[in-house]
Amino acid sequence: MKNIKKAIIPAAGLGTRFLPVTKAMPKEMLPIVDKPTIEYIVEEAIDSGIEDIIIVTGKGKRAIEDHFDNSFELEETLIRKEKFELLEKIKKSAEVEIHYIRQKEALGLGHAIWCARKFIGDEPFAVLLGDDIIHSEKPGLSQLISEYEKNRASIIGVKYVPSEETHRYGIIDYKEKSGRKFLVKNFVEKPEQGTAPSNMAIIGRYILTPQIFDFLGKQKKGAGGEIQLTDAIQELNKIQSVYAYEIDGARYDVGEKLGFIQTTIELALTRDDLREPLTKYLYELLSNIEKMHVK
Ligand code: UTP
């Protein structure tokens, strides 16, 4: 079996939890400090050894293609003004080939992955969701790739979530656990509150074998009336072992409002240029919060 060199980043969703801003702006382009969300994800893929990325886009997502396009005028200006640090920043994504395919209708995450099948062909591949950032020492995807290489079976990134949040995620039911790795029995997409088989939630990083496309092609609509990737993985699990791995690091869901605000604050606090003034501001804000008359 081949090594993992190709990745799909689905970014064609409607982003309804973030309306009205997502009417004309892709949620994957929401800035976290000074970088769009999707650029953090592309960088994680590059740092994990991915060579080719296909971004699944849709209506109103042109800004993503424009962002990763070359910008000769801007580059020339930065060179002329000797702003080499900024030049570095805008060129990092050029280390990987980025391709695009359109999902004509937002029929669900499973359908978005299916749209990229010809690009993937017959090899195992990675999926990184376009609105999930993982902040960790070793890149999240690279942790999954290391585990994948041990037994070359599909493996899904998971993270512990409290019981009151399990209904928002795909949840695993597992047969065995060894360290951070689980042998999965079942996958359940968004279980009703109180029915989740565990607290381990799928968090937007996957390594999948190409057999997943056999199931995605005939997958019926599932939770929320969408073609769900989790349902196809559940089918795949009937013919091949599928593992889950608890990724070490902080995971941020930029696709919902509170998650976006938390991501912005926490990632700003990791930056040398912002840590001190932001910490000072947060202390002042918290010590005055009772006195504020915000309605
Ligand atoms: P989400 O379910 O978080 O995205 O999908 P959404 O549907 O855009 O969000 P809400 O619920 O309406 O607010 C996770 C990832 O899968 C992509 C999204 O763009 C996001 O990056 N996706 C989802 C697709 O590419 N196509 C789809 O049909 C659905």
Side-chain angles (χ1 to χ4, degrees):
M1 276 243 201
K2 289 194 181 157
N3 288 336
I4 309 295
K5 294 292 168 203
K6 290 182 183 173
I8 303 174
I9 302 181
L14 300 177
T16 53
R17 282 168 297 164
F18 235 113
L19 281 168
V21 73
T22 44
K23 256 180 96 183
M25 164 154 155
K27 72 170 165 182
E28 297 78 10
M29 286 298 292
L30 287 171
I32 302 298
V33 188
D34 53 8
K35 247 194 312 194
T37 299
I38 195 164
E39 192 165 341
Y40 287 87
I41 293 155
V42 166
E43 288 181 1
E44 180 188 329
I46 294 171
D47 294 339
S48 304
I50 295 296
E51 291 172 0
D52 280 279
I53 292 176
I54 188 161
I55 301 181
V56 184
T57 67
K59 198 167 168 287
K61 302 276 182 167
R62 278 291 300 276
I64 298 177
E65 289 181 52
D66 288 344
H67 179 76
F68 290 113
D69 204 357
N70 285 344
S71 177
F72 293 113
E73 201 186 333
L74 179 62
E75 287 170 28
E76 285 292 306
T77 309
L78 293 176
I79 292 170
R80 198 162 19 86
K81 295 190 170 170
E82 298 187 4
K83 297 198 166 170
F84 299 114
E85 223 175 279
L86 287 178
L87 187 67
E88 278 292 296
K89 281 190 184 167
I90 66 162
K91 288 191 75 122
K92 166 94 178 161
S93 54
E95 290 172 28
V96 72
E97 286 281 337
I98 303 185
H99 315 256
Y100 300 91
I101 188 138
R102 272 175 92 92
Q103 183 188 22
K104 296 206 172 65
E105 205 182 331
L107 295 176
L109 173 59
H111 181 258
I113 303 302
W114 162 252
C115 290
R117 67 197 178 282
K118 289 191 179 143
F119 168 83
I120 297 296
D122 191 26
E123 56 183 282
F125 62 98
V127 175
L128 303 95
L129 294 197
D131 57 353
D132 264 5
I133 292 181
I134 293 178
H135 184 72
S136 53
E137 212 165 292
K138 179 172 175 179
L141 181 64
S142 141
Q143 296 178 38
L144 274 193
I145 292 177
S146 302
E147 288 304 316
Y148 164 81
E149 281 166 357
K150 291 181 187 161
N151 44 6
R152 310 233 151 207
S154 296
I155 183 157
I156 320 296
V158 290
K159 199 113 195 100
Y160 176 90
V161 295
S163 300
E164 53 285 9
E165 288 179 22
T166 48
H167 66 284
R168 291 174 36 207
Y169 294 89
I171 300 289
I172 62 162
D173 181 9
Y174 54 88
K175 292 182 214 168
E176 287 167 28
K177 178 178 189 297
S178 160
R180 292 181 161 270
K181 199 165 175 177
F182 303 85
L183 178 59
V184 180
K185 187 157 70 177
N186 280 306
F187 292 89
V188 190
E189 184 60 34
K190 301 193 174 76
E192 276 179 36
Q193 225 147 5
T195 66
S198 80
N199 288 73
M200 302 312 293
I202 300 175
I203 54 156
R205 297 293 181 273
Y206 309 72
I207 306 286
L208 296 167
T209 58
Q211 286 73 33
I212 191 72
F213 293 117
D214 299 340
F215 299 105
L216 283 173
K218 49 189 180 202
Q219 197 60 55
K220 301 243 165 26
K221 288 179 181 170
E226 295 191 345
I227 297 175
Q228 296 287 355
L229 179 59
T230 309
D231 295 342
I233 298 173
Q234 166 73 359
E235 293 304 311
L236 180 71
N237 199 22
K238 292 180 185 161
I239 60 155
Q240 294 177 350
S241 296
V242 178
Y243 291 85
Y245 183 77
E246 187 179 3
I247 291 180
D248 187 17
R251 176 261 180 180
Y252 299 102
D253 182 1
V254 182
E256 54 100 20
K257 280 169 264 197
L258 184 59
F260 169 75
I261 296 165
Q262 286 167 337
T263 317
T264 304
I265 295 173
E266 291 189 30
L267 291 193
L269 287 170
T270 67
R271 296 211 356 189
D272 292 341
D273 56 337
L274 293 170
R275 189 180 306 111
E276 203 184 305
L278 180 59
T279 307
K280 188 167 172 275
Y281 165 73
L282 289 174
Y283 271 122
E284 280 168 10
L285 181 73
L286 288 175
S287 48
N288 286 312
I289 210 143
E290 309 260 286
K291 290 184 230 144
M292 286 171 75
H293 296 285
V294 186
K295 290 226 169 111

